[in-house]
Amino acid sequence: MAALPRRIIKETQRLMQEPVPGISAVPSETNARYFHVIVTGPEDSPFEGGLFKLELFLPEDYPMSAPKVRFITKIYHPNIDRLGRICLDILKDKWSPALQIRTVLLSIQALLSAPNPDDPLANDVAELWKVNEGEAIRNAKEWTRRYAMDN
Amino acid sequence: MSATVDERISDELEALEAILMNDVVVKKVNDVPEIIETVVHPSTGDDVDQQFVCVTLEVRLTPGYPDISPEVTLRNPRGLDDEVLKSIYTQIKRKLLDCLGQPVVFELIELIRENLTESNLPSGQCVICLYNFVEGDVFIKTQCYHYFHSYCLASHLIAGQKYYQEEVDKLPSWQQMQAPQYQTCPVCRCRVTCDVEVLKAAPPPVDSITAPPFCLTAELKALQVKMSALLARQVARGGVVGMGDNGPPPLTITSPSDNDGGSTSQEADKAEALASARPHTSSENAPGSPQARPVYRGPYRGFNRRGKPGRRGRGGPAAGSR
Ligand SMILES: [Zn+2]
Ligand SMILES: [Zn+2]
């Protein structure tokens, strides 16, 4: 593997030295471009209490192209599909090299606080979120309890 | 003219407008001036290209002004770090006290201009590579007062062009003509017009030549162990994507560009690989892009119905405006 750009090293160090509350990101032992991530479900969201595992990969041309991120832990959310893929503009056409790993993870955390059923990736979840928010939130809590709690 | 305005204020405004002309904006409510706003630049003669910093000065005239100090705000600082701004604010406070009872806006402009002239160099880092600007670096200031190494901005613009071309190629030909192309600033997304050919001839950032090697600390290793233990527990409970699903109805993918909806076995293999805590070791194995599939582009990537690139934004401007 080519030498790791200092940008990635600096980002990694900063993630360790000034961790983002509720988020941990650790590079893999064998590939410093691959991060194991845990995002804590935000307070007052249906995901509260959950520990969500994600994987994040910095492609060869990072930061010119966005990191690739997906959920590994199952999550009931209108903008995250059943393969864990995330519908988030900054991961696609709104990516900018001024964004960093930490900003991406913060945006994902914010997405958990504010699901957006009008811009869905998981259509049936979004549909339920729109017609019966109460039930959708119950489902989300149930999935969180069942799959993302650590006890 | 029904409202009565303190003569000291009307004289001050008259002078400001005579000298700054279009560069000063006076906002009035019922003919009473309330806010004076102007962008302050360093003194570089008329050489605008040599102005690397600027800041917008906003003076809100309190009802008793000038016998009472106005409220002063510095907005949209460009190329100035927090330390410099803090120091300017401190000096402004002192100046306001000194000038109580007399018009102060000119004094403020002068004070800020002196400070800007002193720090008229891009401060901080290039947000693209995170290296500082050092002696010998070739850098560029965009129209929006953001700085990048020319080399870095070129890479960004070239990547943007490539992305744009890929998206256009997906469109039917009658739509290709309509898709506008423009290049944007990585920090504020303002439009930038730069000659990529010129930029890309610049050398890479001086500091980028030697990057220290990366090594895992004991702390990182401990975190890894904790994370894989958590993952193992979640896998055991069927809480991991792609594993057997006995929860509420599975999420369905309905995006037309998604052509892997049915193949769960691949995903299961992948999840298994993850479960055994063997991280991917090459870019071919990046999340979402196992070898057997075309590169993952995300179901919503691309042009929306109006033929503009991308979807309507949720995120607003990019982070870290300086
Ligand atoms: Zn740079
Ligand atoms: Zn800009």
Side-chain angles (χ1 to χ4, degrees):
Chain A
M1 189 168 42
L4 206 58
R6 199 174 88 175
R7 159 145 180 167
I8 297 180
I9 295 172
K10 276 187 113 172
E11 280 201 62
T12 308
Q13 283 166 347
R14 219 184 131 210
L15 281 167
M16 295 303 124
Q17 284 154 6
E18 306 158 46
V20 190
I23 292 173
S24 44
V26 185
S28 132
E29 208 151 338
T30 48
N31 185 349
R33 289 176 176 271
Y34 181 94
F35 286 73
H36 302 271
V37 177
I38 288 176
V39 171
T40 312
E43 265 176 53
D44 299 320
S45 80
F47 312 101
E48 185 172 354
L51 295 174
F52 296 91
K53 178 98 171 58
L54 292 86
E55 56 179 357
L56 181 147
F57 182 80
L58 304 175
E60 193 57 46
D61 60 346
Y62 178 82
M64 298 313 151
S65 67
K68 296 175 187 298
V69 201
R70 70 173 191 111
F71 275 78
I72 291 174
T73 308
K74 287 179 185 173
I75 182 165
Y76 192 87
H77 189 294
N79 310 108
I80 301 162
D81 75 10
R82 105 193 128 80
L83 301 179
R85 296 180 302 190
I86 305 161
C87 180
L88 190 62
D89 52 7
I90 59 160
L91 293 177
K92 317 226 165 76
D93 55 293
K94 289 288 188 294
W95 170 253
S96 152
L99 299 166
Q100 301 189 10
I101 298 170
R102 66 169 53 229
T103 22
V104 164
L105 296 177
L106 276 168
S107 302
I108 291 171
Q109 202 181 33
L111 191 63
L112 298 189
S113 289
N116 179 7
D118 293 323
D119 192 9
L121 190 51
N123 265 22
D124 55 343
V125 177
E127 198 51 42
L128 187 62
W129 216 284
K130 280 197 274 198
V131 298
N132 189 346
E133 199 182 351
E135 194 188 332
I137 288 176
R138 270 196 301 282
N139 282 350
K141 283 185 178 160
E142 171 59 16
W143 278 47
T144 304
R145 193 192 59 74
R146 193 179 301 185
Y147 300 130
M149 298 267 183
D150 190 26
N151 51 37
Chain B
M1 292 290 278
S2 54
T4 52
V5 176
D6 189 311
E7 205 169 89
R8 289 170 293 180
I9 300 176
S10 45
D11 285 353
E12 179 176 37
L13 290 180
E14 209 171 291
L16 280 170
E17 279 167 344
I19 295 169
L20 298 174
M21 294 189 280
N22 291 335
D23 293 335
V24 66
V25 178
V26 180
K27 292 176 186 158
K28 298 184 179 178
V29 177
N30 297 330
D31 264 358
V32 178
E34 223 180 54
I35 295 171
I36 301 172
E37 200 181 274
T38 184
V39 180
V40 186
H41 300 274
S43 350
T44 56
D46 283 333
D47 197 348
V48 176
D49 280 347
Q50 290 305 307
Q51 296 176 342
F52 300 123
V53 291
C54 73
V55 71
T56 304
L57 166 69
E58 181 192 285
V59 182
R60 184 177 284 271
L61 305 179
T62 43
Y65 176 79
D67 295 317
I68 293 172
S69 292
E71 288 164 26
V72 178
T73 317
L74 300 177
R75 287 191 288 106
N76 299 337
R78 292 287 187 258
L80 298 166
D81 59 35
D82 293 347
E83 284 303 304
V84 173
L85 276 177
K86 232 168 86 186
S87 148
I88 301 179
Y89 266 118
T90 313
Q91 296 169 48
I92 287 176
K93 241 181 179 165
R94 214 175 305 136
K95 180 66 78 184
L96 289 177
L97 285 176
D98 287 351
C99 292
L100 217 51
Q102 44 178 311
V104 71
V105 179
F106 262 118
E107 302 271 345
L108 293 178
I109 293 173
E110 258 326 293
L111 183 153
I112 295 167
R113 195 195 313 277
E114 277 165 26
N115 275 278
L116 295 194
T117 309
E118 236 168 74
S119 8
N120 189 26
L121 259 181
S123 58
Q125 302 155 336
C126 165
V127 295
I128 299 179
C129 64
L130 302 187
Y131 292 96
N132 291 321
F133 297 102
V134 299
E135 195 72 34
D137 268 342
V138 179
F139 60 89
I140 182 170
K141 179 183 79 170
T142 59
Q143 293 94 322
C144 44
Y145 278 80
H146 289 121
Y147 305 91
F148 309 96
H149 295 111
S150 300
Y151 177 90
C152 298
L153 187 61
S155 313
H156 164 66
L157 297 177
I158 292 166
Q161 259 164 12
K162 200 171 136 240
Y163 179 93
Y164 168 84
Q165 201 50 53
E166 283 170 14
E167 295 300 331
V168 165
D169 290 345
K170 288 183 207 158
L171 292 175
S173 56
W174 61 272
Q175 262 186 343
Q176 290 189 353
M177 301 300 289
Q178 297 174 356
Q181 176 180 24
Y182 49 84
Q183 307 273 26
T184 57
C185 167
V187 173
C188 67
R189 301 193 202 284
C190 280
R191 191 167 176 172
V192 293
T193 45
C194 294
D195 189 340
V196 178
E197 291 306 311
V198 173
L199 290 178
K200 82 179 187 199
V206 170
D207 274 357
S208 72
I209 312 301
T210 49
F214 173 77
C215 52
L216 277 176
T217 60
E219 189 194 1
L220 285 179
K221 285 188 178 155
L223 274 168
Q224 282 180 347
V225 171
K226 243 173 90 182
M227 282 185 173
S228 42
L230 171 70
L231 183 62
R233 288 193 294 277
Q234 292 189 346
V235 169
R237 261 182 297 149
V240 163
V241 166
M243 309 290 284
D245 192 350
N246 47 11
L251 314 182
T252 36
I253 300 158
T254 53
S255 163
S257 66
D258 200 34
N259 50 16
D260 57 5
S263 63
T264 45
S265 65
Q266 233 175 51
E267 290 303 319
D269 289 350
K270 202 162 144 222
E272 229 163 71
L274 284 163
S276 60
R278 279 213 325 269
H280 308 301
T281 50
S282 77
S283 58
E284 273 77 47
N285 274 335
S289 59
Q291 283 124 328
R293 276 200 317 214
V295 173
Y296 169 53
R297 299 203 170 281
Y300 277 77
R301 181 163 157 161
F303 289 80
N304 64 19
R305 274 182 221 99
R306 274 155 297 188
K308 293 188 189 131
R311 302 172 296 107
R312 83 203 114 82
R314 183 191 294 123
S321 66
R322 256 171 217 283

